[in-house]
Amino acid sequence: MTMWGSRFREALDPAAQRYNASIGFDRRLAAQDVRASAAWARALRQAGVLTPAECDTILAGLQQIGEEFAGEGFVYHENDEDVHSAVERRLADLIGPPAGKLHTGRSRNDQVVTDLRLWLMDHVPALDSALADLQGVLVGRAEVELGVLMPGYTHLQRAQPVTLGHWWLSHVWPLDRDRERLQQLRRRTSQLPLGSGALAGTAFPVDRQALAADLGFEAPCPNSLDAVADRDFAAEFLFAAALIGVHLSRLAEGVILFSTREFGFFELADRYATGSSLMPQKKNPDLFEIARGQSGALIGELTGLLTILKGLPSAYDKDLQEDKQPVFRAYDRLAQALPVLAGALRTLSVRPERMAAAIDEDMMASDLADHLVVQGVAFRQAHEVVGRWVRLGLEQGRGLHSFTLDELHALHPAFTAEVYDFLDPTHSLSRRAAIGGSAPAAVAEQLAKARRAIERTPMDSPPSETIKGAGGSS
Amino acid sequence: MTMWGSRFREALDPAAQRYNASIGFDRRLAAQDVRASAAWARALRQAGVLTPAECDTILAGLQQIGEEFAGEGFVYHENDEDVHSAVERRLADLIGPPAGKLHTGRSRNDQVVTDLRLWLMDHVPALDSALADLQGVLVGRAEVELGVLMPGYTHLQRAQPVTLGHWWLSHVWPLDRDRERLQQLRRRTSQLPLGSGALAGTAFPVDRQALAADLGFEAPCPNSLDAVADRDFAAEFLFAAALIGVHLSRLAEGVILFSTREFGFFELADRYATGSSLMPQKKNPDLFEIARGQSGALIGELTGLLTILKGLPSAYDKDLQEDKQPVFRAYDRLAQALPVLAGALRTLSVRPERMAAAIDEDMMASDLADHLVVQGVAFRQAHEVVGRWVRLGLEQGRGLHSFTLDELHALHPAFTAEVYDFLDPTHSLSRRAAIGGSAPAAVAEQLAKARRAIERTPMDSPPSETIKGAGGSS
Amino acid sequence: MTMWGSRFREALDPAAQRYNASIGFDRRLAAQDVRASAAWARALRQAGVLTPAECDTILAGLQQIGEEFAGEGFVYHENDEDVHSAVERRLADLIGPPAGKLHTGRSRNDQVVTDLRLWLMDHVPALDSALADLQGVLVGRAEVELGVLMPGYTHLQRAQPVTLGHWWLSHVWPLDRDRERLQQLRRRTSQLPLGSGALAGTAFPVDRQALAADLGFEAPCPNSLDAVADRDFAAEFLFAAALIGVHLSRLAEGVILFSTREFGFFELADRYATGSSLMPQKKNPDLFEIARGQSGALIGELTGLLTILKGLPSAYDKDLQEDKQPVFRAYDRLAQALPVLAGALRTLSVRPERMAAAIDEDMMASDLADHLVVQGVAFRQAHEVVGRWVRLGLEQGRGLHSFTLDELHALHPAFTAEVYDFLDPTHSLSRRAAIGGSAPAAVAEQLAKARRAIERTPMDSPPSETIKGAGGSS
Amino acid sequence: MTMWGSRFREALDPAAQRYNASIGFDRRLAAQDVRASAAWARALRQAGVLTPAECDTILAGLQQIGEEFAGEGFVYHENDEDVHSAVERRLADLIGPPAGKLHTGRSRNDQVVTDLRLWLMDHVPALDSALADLQGVLVGRAEVELGVLMPGYTHLQRAQPVTLGHWWLSHVWPLDRDRERLQQLRRRTSQLPLGSGALAGTAFPVDRQALAADLGFEAPCPNSLDAVADRDFAAEFLFAAALIGVHLSRLAEGVILFSTREFGFFELADRYATGSSLMPQKKNPDLFEIARGQSGALIGELTGLLTILKGLPSAYDKDLQEDKQPVFRAYDRLAQALPVLAGALRTLSVRPERMAAAIDEDMMASDLADHLVVQGVAFRQAHEVVGRWVRLGLEQGRGLHSFTLDELHALHPAFTAEVYDFLDPTHSLSRRAAIGGSAPAAVAEQLAKARRAIERTPMDSPPSETIKGAGGSS
């Protein structure tokens, strides 16, 4: 059964029908379609289009369909073009003629985008919560490894000492921004298209404000043409997902590097590492590589949807059917990745002695320059002097600490014996005590702030949608 | 002069130097670099690193440099690697040795990203205001053309009647969402990196909270490693810009279509249309085509930056130098496009008679089905009946209104004489009176809401940054 | 069974295992994996690693597995990590211990990319042939509608008359370029990675030249590190697919426009059009809109893979696992779209009278200028004169033909009575007789050339891979 | 002067004019525009439209304009809309009325795309040659470092020994594929649009075959509508550029990693490394990071252009004006990067002792399994046995070599004393002697093949377009 055949003298070509059908992927909207249909039935009753009895019959039918979907007992027919037709077809099976009244005053154009918005409103909180879990793991590690010295890098070259706690926390804040974005986009998603009809608004006196409230939306969309055409919320979700992907890729890159034998800072737990079919000794960070790779796929989904939207004339065009798969795929990737990465990070081993050993004394070069600054030398000059000291060391194959004060005076008269203190990495750390710095006290404050950020008021989430800590996808 | 040469035995290869240099594009940050440098000098004084006299000397020098930039009198040197070096070099020219103290405790890593954030904080309000201007034009037209009947389209096929006022407004709301996004991302941009040093925090007791306030930031970035590595704000701006571009492309598509001779709804003013070098009769909507095309370029900028960020290990990597050009280009495209499109839309002529003539009576087919619904027929059946009526009309070459009530009764007994009222487009319109619908009263309410939305509290904007109505770029 | 467990003390976490597993999508490589495994067995026999008897046993087992896959009788186990493990596991079920010898000297790194290359080598010809079919439809229509006058457009404004035959052919040549690209990329795909081991080459004396020949490859990859890391062929395929998508989107845009009531040039056959669930009169070009939309998705796939590849260190990284799904999805989209579009184009109706009516006389304005050129006036001046003529016509509401010769002489003395011939569209057409022009004779020549281009030597294609005219996907 | 004003009653709004103008970037096509204009003048003479004298006058004028461009003495006027108008305007200055005849029978639509194709045909060979130079550096290093042992990596974990020569060569072949692609796309670019007019073909009897030959094109485009609409060649160039960018990013990633203190395999020459404004000791691989980052920008350019093309109706739309800047930017990035990277790679120092020290004995684990294979054990079992050996070693903190034969027999009875030979990395290498393997002999053969590949017949290149070894851009 299609919902539109009578005007046509010939049925759709079978290959064209397959090409046109979205049931292969929009069936994921089943629960949302049932929920929105029930709300629509109530709105039609309120508008006087359905009698209370008709409405109750429809609601009972929809209830059963919802249970069939939940129990995976729903049987699709070959001719179900999309989830909306499938639900209406099944409703007719169950309750007969009154089913034909449900589609009064609505269109698949406002229906499908309502379903997709509902789906996102249901699933974004689950993602948010999986992000919070990952943040929790990072903060937990930061707390334990607050004081573990490690080299900080820029350009992947050793730069200045930091602590592992500081490093873990540096990956918490990007996720915090992600969660803020999710919260804001969820609110923007929460505008109800239903009641916009095909494009010009519903022709029955439906109370859209009440309908919005019934479905948990903040407000009805203000313009019916825009309501059926707008996929900003999906693009915005894909952007947020892509940026989460980028953040995970950067974290993954760090873990992959630190797990190399050359760095040797981290070792993955056996149950979060994989081997080689050929090389028996291999222990590979596959999970982090997949996460890094998937950031590319997520960027591609975003590009794809934006390109689909480009240049579409207003109101509904069928191109918009291509909006759902990228959203589902992006969600699935993250829903699968986040708990796995959380598990892997929670269980990896750290080698503080390797980290400490990687702190070369020339990483304190800027501190040495600061020593001169404290003596009143201008920084630019101090930098130049220490640069020469470093070069001398390289040329003579000597450590910086081996230079005598006399030798240093030859470089600049302002050096004092205190300069040798500045070669100590913990001294270097302690000097960076301003907000956000790597001094232990500053990191401790930061940690407390991070804990508070994780506890940001969680979004309302229907209890059924969760991303399991064990990595199960919803 | 480079800021880092003394450790090296050889100067940078000249071709490598050109490749490495960013002065060709980061000079756009000149005003921001001067401003941030002045704030940094004040922070160093507060931290006791600069004496009040040194600080005053530096501030006076920076003031003069700022004026040189503003007056385009600043002379770049061949060896200026980036705007930061150029400013410091010029400062040394002007005030001598104290200039060498300015870079104390900061790094180009925190400096450059502070400048770029400041630049965006300065320019986003100008964009917001240009968007509001465009909204104003759309709303102004909507007010005048509130009651102008036009065909509404889905799949580019005539669907149901709407009004031109409703159509104009359908392009106001996407821009409203854009402006909300800009406001939110501007706030997220307003986190201060300065004081993060190269990666580990500044080693001097700078009050970063005060520094943030001095520069108009909301708060200091909470983690120094993240602060120098984070370009989320730039990616988010590019996403917002790409989505604005998509919205403009959809509006442009509508205008291009409606300006064809086939549609004939719009005619562009001569001063917003172009001709052909070969065909003397041509009048082309080039400006709208460029806007449509640029949405592709804007999507490309977003893709590019996200890809650059993917997989970067934490803290600063030089890849990040590639962040600025996409931001500048995206801004420039929109800053140029918005006032031009506003002008073109304000001045185009509308042909109400062409629009009215394009309203075919079969566009009321869903109303005819509703007529049966009102008589108690289930919508699904009513739809099927009217579909057959439409097919009969096509087959017999007859208009729907030409069918007699007897003929209609052959299709379904529930038809009454009232059905002929349902063929009237104004009747169709008036039925769509729910919020967001195309009934004149609903559109009038929508219009008032749109006017209020335009007046959203404007962002603080330095008076110097404006996108001129005459299309001037800032 | 994993292929690598013994070095590890703990099994992979179940969620991590699901995240890591590729069996959900790489099972599409089953036939290729069996084929490549059989060839590898033969190579190992030739290298003396397998005895003839062992080889025969393995080949018999693989034969059966191949039949199980073909008959969809293959049973996957829950622990099958990927298609390679599944095949080897099943082989062990079937033939016992000798199965354990098959993986000698190879790695999943060279195996998987060999499979994917084989898959593309199998499927690209099917795509090529579907493109040729579509070209055939276009050329067939061009032949029939060679002389049907229609307006040619630039900027979507009526520009100069052309013929529908010329327009159909304008969509043949982009597909011709696509097919040339497919042919070239298929050849580049035909470099054999197998025998590269995990990264350093196989440690057994395999004759890779013979192995390449056995599998239908042109040559072995010349460097083992590159062989396992290289996904250029996949990126190149995705680029070709994206460009095909863009070409289809442009063709689709034309069909969608020409099928509007405003243009009214085309009418889709009922069996290639769809209706509306709400509006009984609607007849929508959904199939073409989907094709247009999918071009966005195809561009996204390309972006995604390129981004995945960016910055990977050489040799195999697990990110590369993300290479397969975009390739499969891109292929599927095109394999589904091409026959459907071919069917829709073959069956659509053309309305020559609407096209003819759309030829305004001012579309001959450049011919009028040429008339003056023939009289010796410089084109630039002639253009200016005719521009004024057009403006006069607009201002006075008069057609160009209504201007008397005297009036024309007031514009320029060189006008002769012959000018009125230049207002005839067939005269305009006939003047464009150079190669590639719209004169009927030139189009007839072009048509013959297009027919020859379609017959370009087809690529070798295994008979089993075809995209059915009825739109079936392989 | 515009080329189209007379039909209009009002001049273009100044802001709109700036938005519409392309002179800011299409001036790079000046040389090509002059060359194509000269060829067009000759074609018009041949067609009898210009007298020989007129043609000579025009050619002389164009000659002078060409010289003005070459000497940078050409003066643009404020109203020059694009390079075509500028050339025609200047021609009129120089030679008066005959200049007005040059535009006869052509349009900016066929003109601009001819210019852009010519530009690419001129510049692709320069890029090809810069790629060959970089290949030359890589092969040169490979020759010198053919036998330098280094660890090969997969998943960034030490996998099997290879040689540095093999590694350098692994980066030669991707560039070889790039060059093949450039050659093929250059040929596809070499189809002449000129003579297609605005869209319908030129109305004068121009010999397009001769015109193509005159300009160095292979053939005229076969369809005028397609000719002015087609930007496949630009998209294909951007794809090739993006893939080159990806290849450089992967090479850069390797160099950046190997230059870390943790790997310590490479040290950049001082004149190809940069320092820090804050940390005097830093030596950063900025040049390689920029190259890595620019791959993102290149991917963005490709995405952008494909998106611009999506959904454009056939023949010329102004969106296509956006085709040039991505092409220029992509070229410039590569033209600047390639010689710089070549210089940096030529001059970097290698530390063979660090590489040798990084070869852990467990990297021979697959060889140990092969030892059992040679004894007749099935590989799958052998892999499992050696995996347990590796685990025992890890658990007991013992090297693999320290296990006695007795101990090994406890793992598997087939071990013989020969197994200890398999722990030698040079033995491991020597076993990988098949084509493309890492055995020294195989690498030597590969090197010879690479040398031959570099010498692929160079593309014809006008002598003026070269990318200087010193990094100068053309």
Side-chain angles (χ1 to χ4, degrees), chain A residues 161-174:
Chain A
V162 297
T163 66
L164 183 52
H166 196 46
W167 190 85
W168 288 122
L169 289 173
S170 77
H171 290 286
V172 170
W173 299 108

PDB file of all heavy atoms in Angstrom, chain A residues 161-174:
ATOM      1  N   PRO A 161      58.109  20.923  31.258  1.00  0.00           N
ATOM      2  CA  PRO A 161      57.495  19.871  32.067  1.00  0.00           C
ATOM      3  C   PRO A 161      56.051  20.235  32.423  1.00  0.00           C
ATOM      4  O   PRO A 161      55.737  21.395  32.665  1.00  0.00           O
ATOM      5  CB  PRO A 161      58.357  19.813  33.329  1.00  0.00           C
ATOM      6  CG  PRO A 161      59.147  21.058  33.348  1.00  0.00           C
ATOM      7  CD  PRO A 161      59.221  21.577  31.959  1.00  0.00           C
ATOM      8  N   VAL A 162      55.211  19.241  32.428  1.00  0.00           N
ATOM      9  CA  VAL A 162      53.852  19.393  32.966  1.00  0.00           C
ATOM     10  C   VAL A 162      53.592  18.151  33.828  1.00  0.00           C
ATOM     11  O   VAL A 162      54.514  17.373  34.100  1.00  0.00           O
ATOM     12  CB  VAL A 162      52.791  19.525  31.841  1.00  0.00           C
ATOM     13  CG1 VAL A 162      53.018  20.779  31.003  1.00  0.00           C
ATOM     14  CG2 VAL A 162      52.777  18.297  30.942  1.00  0.00           C
ATOM     15  N   THR A 163      52.352  17.961  34.225  1.00  0.00           N
ATOM     16  CA  THR A 163      52.057  16.714  34.928  1.00  0.00           C
ATOM     17  C   THR A 163      51.016  15.945  34.132  1.00  0.00           C
ATOM     18  O   THR A 163      50.268  16.516  33.327  1.00  0.00           O
ATOM     19  CB  THR A 163      51.499  16.955  36.341  1.00  0.00           C
ATOM     20  OG1 THR A 163      50.224  17.583  36.217  1.00  0.00           O
ATOM     21  CG2 THR A 163      52.440  17.797  37.177  1.00  0.00           C
ATOM     22  N   LEU A 164      51.000  14.668  34.367  1.00  0.00           N
ATOM     23  CA  LEU A 164      50.033  13.841  33.661  1.00  0.00           C
ATOM     24  C   LEU A 164      48.609  14.255  34.034  1.00  0.00           C
ATOM     25  O   LEU A 164      47.708  14.240  33.192  1.00  0.00           O
ATOM     26  CB  LEU A 164      50.292  12.361  33.996  1.00  0.00           C
ATOM     27  CG  LEU A 164      49.417  11.353  33.280  1.00  0.00           C
ATOM     28  CD1 LEU A 164      49.413  11.548  31.775  1.00  0.00           C
ATOM     29  CD2 LEU A 164      49.879   9.930  33.615  1.00  0.00           C
ATOM     30  N   GLY A 165      48.418  14.653  35.264  1.00  0.00           N
ATOM     31  CA  GLY A 165      47.096  15.134  35.673  1.00  0.00           C
ATOM     32  C   GLY A 165      46.641  16.295  34.790  1.00  0.00           C
ATOM     33  O   GLY A 165      45.498  16.348  34.322  1.00  0.00           O
ATOM     34  N   HIS A 166      47.550  17.211  34.553  1.00  0.00           N
ATOM     35  CA  HIS A 166      47.253  18.364  33.711  1.00  0.00           C
ATOM     36  C   HIS A 166      46.903  17.907  32.295  1.00  0.00           C
ATOM     37  O   HIS A 166      45.981  18.436  31.662  1.00  0.00           O
ATOM     38  CB  HIS A 166      48.482  19.280  33.709  1.00  0.00           C
ATOM     39  CG  HIS A 166      48.233  20.662  33.213  1.00  0.00           C
ATOM     40  ND1 HIS A 166      47.173  21.426  33.600  1.00  0.00           N
ATOM     41  CD2 HIS A 166      48.946  21.446  32.341  1.00  0.00           C
ATOM     42  CE1 HIS A 166      47.230  22.616  32.995  1.00  0.00           C
ATOM     43  NE2 HIS A 166      48.282  22.639  32.211  1.00  0.00           N
ATOM     44  N   TRP A 167      47.628  16.919  31.823  1.00  0.00           N
ATOM     45  CA  TRP A 167      47.392  16.412  30.463  1.00  0.00           C
ATOM     46  C   TRP A 167      46.018  15.745  30.366  1.00  0.00           C
ATOM     47  O   TRP A 167      45.270  15.994  29.423  1.00  0.00           O
ATOM     48  CB  TRP A 167      48.506  15.421  30.084  1.00  0.00           C
ATOM     49  CG  TRP A 167      48.482  15.046  28.637  1.00  0.00           C
ATOM     50  CD1 TRP A 167      49.045  15.729  27.607  1.00  0.00           C
ATOM     51  CD2 TRP A 167      47.867  13.878  28.054  1.00  0.00           C
ATOM     52  NE1 TRP A 167      48.813  15.072  26.424  1.00  0.00           N
ATOM     53  CE2 TRP A 167      48.101  13.934  26.657  1.00  0.00           C
ATOM     54  CE3 TRP A 167      47.146  12.797  28.565  1.00  0.00           C
ATOM     55  CZ2 TRP A 167      47.639  12.946  25.784  1.00  0.00           C
ATOM     56  CZ3 TRP A 167      46.687  11.817  27.690  1.00  0.00           C
ATOM     57  CH2 TRP A 167      46.934  11.896  26.317  1.00  0.00           C
ATOM     58  N   TRP A 168      45.710  14.903  31.330  1.00  0.00           N
ATOM     59  CA  TRP A 168      44.383  14.281  31.301  1.00  0.00           C
ATOM     60  C   TRP A 168      43.294  15.346  31.278  1.00  0.00           C
ATOM     61  O   TRP A 168      42.335  15.264  30.502  1.00  0.00           O
ATOM     62  CB  TRP A 168      44.165  13.385  32.526  1.00  0.00           C
ATOM     63  CG  TRP A 168      44.927  12.095  32.572  1.00  0.00           C
ATOM     64  CD1 TRP A 168      45.801  11.714  33.563  1.00  0.00           C
ATOM     65  CD2 TRP A 168      44.879  10.996  31.647  1.00  0.00           C
ATOM     66  NE1 TRP A 168      46.304  10.452  33.300  1.00  0.00           N
ATOM     67  CE2 TRP A 168      45.753   9.989  32.136  1.00  0.00           C
ATOM     68  CE3 TRP A 168      44.208  10.768  30.453  1.00  0.00           C
ATOM     69  CZ2 TRP A 168      45.960   8.770  31.472  1.00  0.00           C
ATOM     70  CZ3 TRP A 168      44.399   9.574  29.780  1.00  0.00           C
ATOM     71  CH2 TRP A 168      45.275   8.583  30.290  1.00  0.00           C
ATOM     72  N   LEU A 169      43.474  16.344  32.122  1.00  0.00           N
ATOM     73  CA  LEU A 169      42.441  17.393  32.191  1.00  0.00           C
ATOM     74  C   LEU A 169      42.327  18.180  30.887  1.00  0.00           C
ATOM     75  O   LEU A 169      41.256  18.676  30.537  1.00  0.00           O
ATOM     76  CB  LEU A 169      42.722  18.340  33.362  1.00  0.00           C
ATOM     77  CG  LEU A 169      42.488  17.739  34.755  1.00  0.00           C
ATOM     78  CD1 LEU A 169      42.973  18.708  35.842  1.00  0.00           C
ATOM     79  CD2 LEU A 169      41.008  17.401  34.968  1.00  0.00           C
ATOM     80  N   SER A 170      43.440  18.267  30.170  1.00  0.00           N
ATOM     81  CA  SER A 170      43.380  19.019  28.904  1.00  0.00           C
ATOM     82  C   SER A 170      42.434  18.356  27.908  1.00  0.00           C
ATOM     83  O   SER A 170      42.013  18.975  26.931  1.00  0.00           O
ATOM     84  CB  SER A 170      44.780  19.162  28.289  1.00  0.00           C
ATOM     85  OG  SER A 170      45.196  17.949  27.674  1.00  0.00           O
ATOM     86  N   HIS A 171      42.102  17.086  28.165  1.00  0.00           N
ATOM     87  CA  HIS A 171      41.139  16.409  27.288  1.00  0.00           C
ATOM     88  C   HIS A 171      39.716  16.420  27.870  1.00  0.00           C
ATOM     89  O   HIS A 171      38.785  15.975  27.207  1.00  0.00           O
ATOM     90  CB  HIS A 171      41.604  14.979  26.992  1.00  0.00           C
ATOM     91  CG  HIS A 171      42.812  14.958  26.116  1.00  0.00           C
ATOM     92  ND1 HIS A 171      42.751  15.251  24.774  1.00  0.00           N
ATOM     93  CD2 HIS A 171      44.136  14.741  26.383  1.00  0.00           C
ATOM     94  CE1 HIS A 171      43.967  15.194  24.255  1.00  0.00           C
ATOM     95  NE2 HIS A 171      44.821  14.895  25.200  1.00  0.00           N
ATOM     96  N   VAL A 172      39.576  16.917  29.075  1.00  0.00           N
ATOM     97  CA  VAL A 172      38.237  17.028  29.667  1.00  0.00           C
ATOM     98  C   VAL A 172      37.492  18.239  29.110  1.00  0.00           C
ATOM     99  O   VAL A 172      36.294  18.166  28.820  1.00  0.00           O
ATOM    100  CB  VAL A 172      38.346  17.133  31.207  1.00  0.00           C
ATOM    101  CG1 VAL A 172      36.995  17.496  31.812  1.00  0.00           C
ATOM    102  CG2 VAL A 172      38.862  15.810  31.781  1.00  0.00           C
ATOM    103  N   TRP A 173      38.226  19.338  28.946  1.00  0.00           N
ATOM    104  CA  TRP A 173      37.553  20.601  28.580  1.00  0.00           C
ATOM    105  C   TRP A 173      36.964  20.592  27.181  1.00  0.00           C
ATOM    106  O   TRP A 173      35.860  21.136  26.972  1.00  0.00           O
ATOM    107  CB  TRP A 173      38.506  21.785  28.806  1.00  0.00           C
ATOM    108  CG  TRP A 173      38.899  21.873  30.247  1.00  0.00           C
ATOM    109  CD1 TRP A 173      40.106  21.573  30.798  1.00  0.00           C
ATOM    110  CD2 TRP A 173      38.036  22.217  31.346  1.00  0.00           C
ATOM    111  NE1 TRP A 173      40.072  21.719  32.165  1.00  0.00           N
ATOM    112  CE2 TRP A 173      38.816  22.126  32.526  1.00  0.00           C
ATOM    113  CE3 TRP A 173      36.706  22.606  31.450  1.00  0.00           C
ATOM    114  CZ2 TRP A 173      38.288  22.398  33.789  1.00  0.00           C
ATOM    115  CZ3 TRP A 173      36.178  22.880  32.693  1.00  0.00           C
ATOM    116  CH2 TRP A 173      36.964  22.780  33.859  1.00  0.00           C
ATOM    117  N   PRO A 174      37.648  20.010  26.205  1.00  0.00           N
ATOM    118  CA  PRO A 174      36.997  19.937  24.881  1.00  0.00           C
ATOM    119  C   PRO A 174      35.652  19.208  24.965  1.00  0.00           C
ATOM    120  O   PRO A 174      34.683  19.621  24.331  1.00  0.00           O
ATOM    121  CB  PRO A 174      38.007  19.157  24.039  1.00  0.00           C
ATOM    122  CG  PRO A 174      39.334  19.432  24.686  1.00  0.00           C
ATOM    123  CD  PRO A 174      39.048  19.547  26.149  1.00  0.00           C
TER     124      PRO A 174
END
